[in-house]
Structure formats: structure tokens, C-alpha cells
Amino acid sequence: MSLLEIRHHTSFEYSSEIPTSYNEARVTPAHLPRQRVLSSSVEISPVTWQTSYIDYWDTRVTAFEVLRPHRSLAVSASSRVEVMPEYQPWQEPDWTELRGSALRDRLAEYLENSPATDPAEELAAFAVETAGRHAPGETARRICSHLHDSVKYVAGATTVHTPASHAWAERSGVCQDFAHLAIGALRHVGIPARYVSGYLHPSRSSGIGETVRGESHAWVEWWAGDWLGYDPTNDSVVADHHVVAARAREYHDVMPVKGIFTGAHSELTVTVEITRVS
């Protein structure tokens, strides 16, 4: 178990003054059986009005507006979270159960691919071949390991609009691409899968009280009798250094900060700091 303090700062600098902006932030850690949120806050500057609600995907959203001219916008989220490793006491389903109509109806949203997650033919073929030889859980793990071995993590190699197929063609991408690639391949063979947005403490060896540069991170969960988290970027089961903020079909459902404004270009800066408290 880990007790982590997370500070996530997002800032926008505009090329000229804009009159208004309308925004949403999904930066608050989720309350989960393996994750206890002890405190959380979101500070915004400037801001005219804000509220908080739970969206369709069970994510805490801070919605806010700036209704006066401004040249910059800052969103700072702070939280203290107690996190336990993944625990899997249940029996994983077999292919017959996964292909049953009751489960497919209940999890239909996590079985349909989109332009963001559609797998390239080569990756889809690998997934089908693997599924023909192994049970669903082992198939999912092998797909993630194959992605880890085949695709190189390269910061800045892609953008938030890059489809999974392009990242596969280039054999490079960031954590968002690894998640979309895994989701696309898993869904292609009938394994329900969803995108997870959150935070990752990058160093298990850091000392208590040491603040490190963390990461806004993405990984996947697939249906294994319950949702099981796996990090294809690092080829590892989700552990007590992964903090969940949001889960949905793909990145565009859970963007950490998004908004609408007109009349200027913006420059984005994001920093994440994580302190291991215990």
C-alpha cells in the first residue's frame, strides 16, 4: 500500500486576450475499493463560475467558465490518496462466457472500436492468432507484452488526435497510444476493454517524503470477471503507484482538461509532482 500526495498543474497561455472560455477538468482521483481519496481540491485562476458533478462514466468533473477577458488560465489539482495493489480473487471468464449475449449487452460500449482505437491489420491478426491459442486473460497479457516489445515509447511522437493505427505504423508513441492500441486489439477478439486516465509514481525506490516529477499516465482495464488493470507502456499489472482519475471508452472521454475559446492560439504546460508519504 502507498500513500501519495499528487499535485497536477495545467496552464494555458494565449497568444492574445480572449473574451471567454468554457472548460471541464477531470483531474480528481476516483473513489474505488483499491483507492481511498483522503483529500482533494481543484483551484482555478481566473474563474467566474464553477461546479462539480459525476459524468456518465462515473468520473468527477469540475466544470468552470471564465466570463471576462484573460490571457492565461491555470488549473491546479491537489490530492492525497491511499492506494493498494490490484487484487484478483475471482475466476476469470472463458471465451464462451465472454461471447455470451448477456455480457456483451452489458458491456457493449467497451467492445466497439472507434477511429481512435481501430487496430491495424497486423496487430489485429496477432490478437486473433493469440486468442486461438490461449484463454482470454493470457491473451490480454500477451497482447500488452507484444505492444511493449514492438512499440517504442517516444515523448512527443504523437498528439492527442493520433489514432492507434498510426502509432502502430510508426512503432512509436506515448502512454495514450499504448492504451488505445491495447484496447483496439482486445476488443477485436471480444475482450471488453476500457481506457484509464490517471497518475503514475515513476520510482519505487524514492524515499518517504521525497517529491518527484510524476506523470499524467494512461493504461487499460479489461473484463476478467471484474475489471483488471494493466499498464501496457510498462508491461506490468497496475500496482499501488498507479492512481486512477477516470475510466471510459477512450482518451477523448476523459481528457484531463478541455475547453472552448476563440480568437487566439494557446500554449499548454503540464507538470505533475508526486510525494510518497508512506
Side-chain angles (χ1 to χ4, degrees):
M1 183 180 73
S2 295
L3 180 58
L4 304 174
E5 288 186 347
I6 303 166
R7 291 174 293 280
H8 180 185
H9 182 75
T10 304
S11 65
F12 297 89
E13 297 291 335
Y14 303 110
S15 58
S16 61
E17 192 172 72
I18 61 173
T20 57
S21 64
Y22 307 90
N23 311 274
E24 292 180 346
R26 289 169 172 81
V27 291
T28 300
H31 292 267
L32 304 171
R34 60 170 286 269
Q35 182 173 290
R36 189 160 65 108
V37 181
L38 304 179
S39 64
S40 64
S41 65
V42 180
E43 297 182 359
I44 303 160
S45 179
V47 64
T48 302
W49 170 90
Q50 72 181 80
T51 190
S52 180
Y53 66 94
I54 302 296
D55 71 5
Y56 176 81
W57 307 106
D58 204 28
T59 300
R60 171 67 61 180
V61 182
T62 301
F64 60 98
E65 299 175 350
V66 185
L67 303 179
R68 60 180 183 270
H70 53 291
R71 290 288 300 263
S72 63
L73 176 65
V75 180
S76 297
S78 300
S79 57
R80 176 177 279 218
V81 187
E82 191 176 67
V83 190
M84 293 177 287
E86 282 280 9
Y87 178 58
Q88 187 182 346
W90 59 85
Q91 181 70 37
E92 290 191 347
D94 58 20
W95 288 113
T96 300
E97 184 178 347
L98 280 182
R99 290 164 181 161
S101 59
L103 182 63
R104 296 188 68 82
D105 286 346
R106 180 159 62 91
L107 299 178
E109 291 170 316
Y110 300 113
L111 282 163
E112 293 296 325
N113 272 316
S114 71
T117 63
D118 273 330
E121 288 186 11
E122 183 181 356
L123 179 57
F126 174 85
V128 170
E129 180 184 1
T130 304
R133 297 181 178 181
H134 302 282
E138 182 62 20
T139 295
R141 293 175 182 88
R142 287 176 179 259
I143 287 172
C144 289
S145 294
H146 181 62
L147 291 171
H148 177 265
D149 294 341
S150 303
V151 180
K152 185 176 181 180
Y153 181 93
V154 180
T158 58
T159 73
V160 297
H161 304 294
T162 301
S165 57
H166 177 79
W168 176 258
E170 297 297 320
R171 295 296 195 275
S172 64
V174 295
C175 59
Q176 171 192 306
D177 302 301
F178 280 85
H180 280 163
L181 284 165
I183 288 168
L186 292 169
R187 291 176 182 172
H188 185 74
V189 293
I191 300 175
R194 64 187 184 185
Y195 185 100
V196 185
S197 172
Y199 304 102
L200 174 66
H201 190 297
S203 174
R204 300 303 300 271
S205 62
S206 64
I208 301 298
E210 180 182 352
T211 298
V212 300
R213 182 175 179 178
E215 299 176 10
S216 182
H217 196 51
W219 57 96
V220 300
E221 291 179 345
W222 67 73
W223 182 256
D226 201 342
W227 292 104
L228 179 67
Y230 201 92
D231 184 347
T233 305
N234 296 297
D235 196 18
S236 65
V237 174
V238 166
D240 60 357
H241 51 299
H242 290 80
V243 177
V244 175
R247 302 179 292 192
R249 296 168 301 179
E250 58 188 57
Y251 170 80
H252 298 95
D253 294 327
V254 295
M255 293 174 64
V257 181
K258 65 179 180 180
I260 299 173
F261 66 91
T262 60
H265 300 290
S266 66
E267 182 176 337
L268 170 66
T269 303
V270 179
T271 60
V272 176
E273 293 180 333
I274 303 180
T275 304
R276 185 177 165 216
V277 179
S278 66

